[in-house]
Amino acid sequence: MNLNDNFFNSAIVNASQNQESNETMDPLFEKYSRKKLSRNSKIADNYQISSGIALYKGIWSEAEVNHLLKRVSFGASKIDIDVYKKLSVSAAVDKLLNFQFTPKYPYPTPVNFYGKDLPDPHNVPYGADFTKSHFLIYDDKANSLAGYRSLGVKNWMLGVYINDTTSMREKLTDFWYHFIPINFDSLAGENSFSYVNDYRTLLRNNCIGNFKTLIKEISKSQGMLLYLNGQDSNANTPNENFARELLELFTIGKEINPENQKYTEDDIKAASKIFSGWRMQKFLVPYPTPVVFNPIYHNQENKQFSHNFNNTLIYNQLNDAGANEFDQFFDMLFAYQSITIAKYICRRLYRFFVYYDITTAIENEIITPLANLLVASNWEFRPVVEMLFKSEHFYDISVRGLMIKSPFDFVVGAIRTLKIETNLLPSDYSGQNWLWDYLRVFCYEKLEQGIGQVPTVSGWKAYYQEPTFYQNWITSITIQKRESFLDNLLYNKNIESKILIVNPISYVLDFPNDTIKDPNLLINALVNHLLPIDIDIKFKTDVLKKANLLNSQRNDSYWTLAWNDYKANPTNSTKKKIVEDRLKAVLNVILKLAEFQLM
């Protein structure tokens, strides 16, 4: 395969990073190993990224639109690309950011899909929202149904990924979730399904809002109180888990060199004393479960902070007035560590949406201006997102086709890009749930990314672990599972739901007919849509066109006549099968290229 030699080279990942050292390299693993900005190429070492944060004014073609949509949403159909290609870069980004915060498709909330098999104790009708209907007693029935409701929340989230209109909303929500996660499965209690759904809703509703507001709301959310043990904190032994992660993972960040760290262990202890007292009073109460400040559980000492916070002393306040310490802490945090926090957030944003390698040039030319904007905007996040996705740097060739698709990007992106139908009858809530469940379980058990199932409070390694980052998505096992998933989509092999299959004719009909009937134009169109970067022209001609689309025939007219015959008589099964087989053969080759694993 031919990548842009000025910037890219193939990099074979050392198998020992993902497997025991005595295992041999799997051929598929080598074939699909990630591409990276070359650190060995003399050209790449001398290449200085000159693009900055200024508004992009370059070519606005299908390639740029495809790059934008794949990064900020889950895949992009040809129709999506055509819509955004008609706009300017600013108008396109604005359109992607002008969304309703409540999902419309497939439903605004998770719904009762289990009603045909398990009666709901609160008489929530089949197909109705269950998320605000709490169990008020612990019994076997509640325990059984709680599992179904938790499953329903996860599966509905996948349904939103697949069905919702093209926008940045779910990807931005995912960014915050990967950044400040809770593990859905670790939350105790029959009503945890509502806590996790509310947590995700909190992130969604604030995904382009005010970060200071968001982090304060997260700090007092039911989900976070349970996940990082704030619910167990008390006056005499304040639990340090949340305070530690707040500083280390959610705001300031952890420095490699301890001398550069902007907080101390004593700062963590002091912060944990401030957070003590915030808890849910009871679990078995009607929705919503209130989080309140209870002075009985609040540490009664003065809270002394280090020189990193100007040696601030937050005096203990008695009784209900102790709740005021919460706001005082955050005012102090953002007053004395504002630029550190802003840069940390912008680095996380950059690594999630652009690339993981933050060089000195990237830090100075991209991260710092974004961070300064975040502070100057009083922690409003939308201006930062707009600046990044409208910037010349975001569309620089050096950052295209570099990210390995996450399992969600791979599975959901393939379904959306190839226009694979996943919707059953609107009233078949049970069947629809289990279809989403198939895909969700596949992502989790086969590709190692589960909805709401982060491995640690740090999230998935792909977004933070140096030096491998996105490389963590690819192992000799997961890459074979990715290939088998594509086989399932194309040929219906070993798949539980017969609905999940590519309709190649429906897919290509979104292209102009003059493009479809010309084999050279068609091959180029398919490559440009499905891959983030172009490939070798000889490969396109000899393998994609001649060997597959033309079925080893010598003349281009073989395909043109076949397509025209089908168009003239689309109900003729023989003519239809000929073009379907030829299109599937081409798609099979393109989708199995290493480049399809990238975006």
Side-chain angles (χ1 to χ4, degrees), residues 482-500:
R482 289 185 179 221
E483 181 160 295
S484 70
F485 180 76
L486 296 172
D487 282 336
N488 292 341
L489 295 183
L490 286 169
Y491 300 111
N492 223 352
K493 295 179 179 179
N494 304 317
I495 198 164
E496 294 180 5
S497 176
K498 301 303 181 184
I499 192 175
L500 293 172

Side-chain angles (χ1 to χ4, degrees), residues 112 126 145 419 446 448 469 525 577 593:
N112 176 349
Y126 180 65
L145 281 177
K419 291 180 56 183
K446 308 299 184 183
E448 301 179 1
F469 288 98
K577 188 175 188 305
L593 293 175

Side-chain angles (χ1 to χ4, degrees), residues 328-347:
Q328 289 179 306
F329 167 78
F330 279 104
D331 288 343
M332 175 197 71
L333 176 64
F334 283 88
Y336 295 111
Q337 294 295 337
S338 60
I339 195 63
T340 300
I341 295 171
K343 285 185 175 182
Y344 179 64
I345 293 170
C346 292
R347 291 188 201 107

Side-chain angles (χ1 to χ4, degrees), residues 32-206:
Y32 289 111
S33 62
R34 75 180 179 90
K35 305 297 178 291
K36 68 177 183 179
L37 193 63
S38 176
R39 293 293 174 250
N40 301 315
S41 164
K42 183 177 180 181
I43 295 176
D45 283 344
N46 293 332
Y47 175 68
Q48 298 295 319
I49 295 177
S50 58
S51 57
I53 209 68
L55 178 67
Y56 176 70
K57 296 180 180 179
I59 296 172
W60 186 245
S61 66
E62 181 171 335
E64 287 71 34
V65 176
N66 208 355
H67 170 67
L68 172 65
L69 294 183
K70 286 182 177 179
R71 291 291 181 92
V72 305
S73 62
F74 293 98
S77 71
K78 181 63 169 61
I79 292 176
D80 292 332
I81 292 173
D82 289 344
V83 168
Y84 285 90
K85 189 169 65 173
K86 295 176 182 177
L87 306 174
S88 66
V89 61
S90 289
V93 172
D94 289 344
K95 181 178 174 66
L96 289 163
L97 285 170
N98 290 333
F99 48 74
Q100 293 182 339
F101 290 97
T102 300
K104 184 177 181 181
Y105 305 104
Y107 332 114
T109 66
V111 299
N112 176 349
F113 69 92
Y114 48 81
K116 290 185 176 180
D117 302 316
L118 294 170
D120 191 286
H122 294 152
N123 298 315
V124 175
Y126 180 65
D129 177 13
F130 61 74
T131 61
K132 297 176 178 58
S133 176
H134 270 190
F135 299 111
L136 302 181
I137 58 172
Y138 288 132
D139 57 21
D140 291 340
K141 182 184 291 185
N143 188 56
S144 176
L145 281 177
Y148 277 89
R149 288 184 172 186
S150 296
L151 190 66
V153 172
K154 294 177 186 176
N155 292 342
W156 171 80
M157 283 174 54
L158 186 68
V160 173
Y161 288 165
I162 294 173
N163 287 281
D164 211 27
T165 54
T166 301
S167 78
M168 292 192 199
R169 189 193 64 216
E170 292 307 307
K171 256 305 179 59
L172 284 167
T173 303
D174 264 12
F175 160 69
W176 289 116
Y177 178 73
H178 295 336
F179 185 175
I180 311 176
I182 62 172
N183 187 305
F184 290 8
D185 294 347
S186 71
L187 271 61
E190 271 73 0
N191 293 318
S192 63
F193 61 87
S194 72
Y195 309 148
V196 298
N197 184 65
D198 284 353
Y199 189 79
R200 182 77 182 186
T201 301
L202 172 64
L203 299 182
R204 185 182 292 114
N205 289 344
N206 292 275

Side-chain angles (χ1 to χ4, degrees), residues 55 65 79 168 189 194 294 297 364 406 431 467 526 538 551 579:
L55 178 67
V65 176
I79 292 176
M168 292 192 199
S194 72
N294 189 331
Y297 299 102
N364 294 336
S406 72
L526 295 177
K538 191 174 188 302
N551 197 25
V579 297

